[in-house]
């Protein structure tokens, strides 16, 4: 049985807590490895190691830190197939999709390669008589990230890329469901020239998350996961005086206006709703056709497209998506499908009961489609996080606009239309953090920032981009004067003015 251990100080450290978690192969349903779960003492060891290494790393000039990032990019490209296969084996997504997981994280590392420019700060000469003012963006020290199972490569790199480039040491607590890729990323960072201790990986569950939030040396915590836990971590982190960014769940909508290209909409929905078995916070699980004619035409086109989808093992190059991550998550999704039936929605396509030949124990679900879903239904209000698409019919543009705006989640939304006027009005008025116009999964590129509104984001600063640089630094502003010798010195008892 393979054992997955912590990575501290540039080397593998065997866990001492005596606690472990099973790591499954979602394709077979069998346990393929065990991962050690840390306790507070093991976390403290990792934090002390990071705290010892961080001052010297912060003293390295940004250009040399950038060179480590450039080398890491090179190594990611060399090892991307290995990383994608390893990721797919523990998560369940198909290898081609796993490549996307790696590459979208790599893009953030590429952004971090520009850290010498990003940290330049501001300077004003002559702000007053012989007075200059300048600002510097300085690292916080030791920071931490807690990442989810659904993107075990991308989201860790979202966090540790900007954090390390700005001069911090980073403690990564990845998901215990698919922990191998984060460890491999840390190994590659060491190979790229990162000093030991600047990126430590500590595995764990709720116990270790609570310890991270409470540890006095950790100055900032970044979190991605469910909204309830995000809100809890945000509140606890703030109570401990930490800087915190917490990204939660989602229920993204796709608004389809009558003038939309329905063939393109259906093609986009297949990937956005069912890709990665729906286990994406930027998936598109709700489609809102405007008008009955649009709804009927869209439904008619959806049915053959769904029937053509192929579900298979992660290594099958013909499969559109693979299994979900665990038996418990599969049962949860199936429970929501039954709840949708009980609530009165029309179950048009039932994805339960799928068996992949030769992999009967795998955690597979075929695509599911509901129609006539109502906003009052729990299955609409909750994030299902599986291959389930719901049709919510709207009679007008205003009704369609209100649905994502009034929903408790506000991560992403898309509108499909040929009307620039309608698209612009929708983008201006919708109360959601990320908007796509004829783009089904509007994840911003690495030099912008990722972040939702309402219960999708508990933070003042978003992930990556310039918000990531700001999150992992604090600004120091210096006002300096160099008086000329021999001049008369006057005392003043009032606040200085210019």
């Amino acid at each position: 049985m393979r054992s997955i251990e912590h990575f501290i100080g540039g080397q593998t450290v065997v866990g001492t807590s005596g606690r472990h978690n099973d790591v499954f192969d979602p394709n077979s349903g069998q346990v393929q490895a065990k991962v050690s779960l840390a306790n507070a003492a093991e976390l403290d060891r990792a934090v002390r190691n990071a705290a010892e290494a961080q001052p010297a790393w912060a003293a390295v000039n940004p250009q040399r830190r950038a060179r480590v990032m450039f080398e890491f990019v090179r190594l990611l490209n060399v090892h991307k197939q290995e990383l994608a296969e390893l990721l797919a084996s523990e998560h369940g997504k198909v290898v081609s999709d796993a490549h996307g997981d790696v590459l979208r994280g790599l893009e953030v590392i590429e952004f971090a390669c520009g850290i010498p420019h990003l940290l330049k700060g501001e300077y004003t000469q002559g702000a007053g008589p012989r007075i200059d003012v300048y600002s510097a963006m300085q690292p916080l020290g030791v920071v931490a990230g807690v990442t989810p199972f659904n993107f075990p490569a991308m989201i860790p790199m979202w966090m540790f890329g900007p954090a390390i480039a700005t001069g911090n040491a980073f403690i990564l607590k990845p998901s215990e469901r698919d922990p191998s890729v984060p460890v491999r990323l840390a190994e590659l960072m060491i190979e790229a020239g990162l000093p030991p201790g600047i990126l430590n990986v500590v595995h764990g569950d709720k116990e270790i998350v609570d310890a991270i939030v409470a540890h006095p040396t950790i100055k900032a915590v970044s979190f991605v996961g469910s909204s309830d836990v995000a809100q809890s971590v945000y509140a606890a982190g703030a109570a401990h005086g930490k800087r915190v960014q917490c990204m939660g769940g989602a229920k993204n909508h796709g608004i389809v206006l009558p003038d939309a290209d329905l063939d393109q909409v259906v093609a986009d929905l297949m990937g956005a709703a069912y890709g990665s078995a729906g286990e994406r916070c930027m998936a598109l699980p709700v489609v809102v056709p405007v008008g009955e004619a649009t709804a009927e035409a869209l439904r008619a086109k959806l049915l053959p497209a769904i029937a053509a989808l192929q579900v298979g093992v992660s290594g099958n190059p013909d499969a559109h998506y693979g299994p979900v991550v665990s038996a418990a998550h599969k049962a949860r999704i199936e429970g929501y499908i039954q709840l949708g039936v009980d609530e009165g929605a029309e179950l048009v396509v039932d994805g339960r009961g799928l068996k992949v030949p030769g992999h009967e124990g795998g955690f597979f679900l075929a695509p599911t489609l509901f129609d006539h879903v109502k906003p009052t239904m729990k299955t609409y209000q909750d994030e299902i996080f599986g291959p389930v698409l719901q049709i919510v019919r709207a009679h007008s543009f205003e009704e369609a606009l209100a649905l994502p705006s009034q929903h408790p989640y506000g991560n992403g939304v898309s509108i499909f239309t040929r009307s620039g006027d309608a698209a612009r009005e929708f983008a201006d008025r919708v109360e959601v953090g990320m908007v796509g116009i004829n783009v089904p999964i509007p994840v911003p590129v690495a030099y912008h920032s990722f972040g939702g509104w309402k219960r999708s984001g508990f933070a003042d600063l978003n992930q990556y981009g310039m918000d990531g640089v700001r999150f992992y630094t604090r600004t120091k502003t210096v006002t300096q004067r160099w008086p000329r010798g021999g001049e008369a010195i006057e005392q003043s008892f009032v606040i200085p003015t210019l």
Side-chain angles (χ1 to χ4, degrees), residues 3 19 34 206 230 233 245 285 289 339 350 353 379 387 404 435 440 459 479 496:
S3 178
R19 298 193 306 126
K34 289 188 179 295
K206 182 181 184 300
V233 170
Q245 60 176 186
L339 178 60
D350 189 348
T379 51
V435 180
T479 302

Side-chain angles (χ1 to χ4, degrees), residues 21 127 362 378 405 424 456 460:
N21 190 74
K378 182 174 174 59
S405 296
R424 182 173 183 176
S456 292
D460 297 317

Side-chain angles (χ1 to χ4, degrees), residues 269-281:
L269 284 174
M270 291 304 99
Y274 300 118
S276 196
E279 295 173 318
R280 295 170 176 158
C281 64

Side-chain angles (χ1 to χ4, degrees), residues 85-109:
E85 291 177 357
L86 181 60
L87 192 159
S89 72
E90 293 183 353
H91 176 279
K93 64 178 70 178
V94 294
V95 173
S96 59
D97 192 25
H99 270 284
D101 192 330
V102 175
L103 294 177
R104 289 307 299 264
L106 182 150
E107 291 173 0
V108 174
I109 305 299

Side-chain angles (χ1 to χ4, degrees), residues 274 299 302-307 337 341 346-352 366-371 387-389:
Y274 300 118
R299 173 170 164 162
L302 281 171
L303 292 176
I306 291 173
I337 294 172
V341 174
E346 180 189 357
L347 182 57
V348 183
V349 180
D350 189 348
R352 295 173 292 183
T368 292
L369 177 67
F370 278 103
D371 196 359
V388 180
L389 177 61

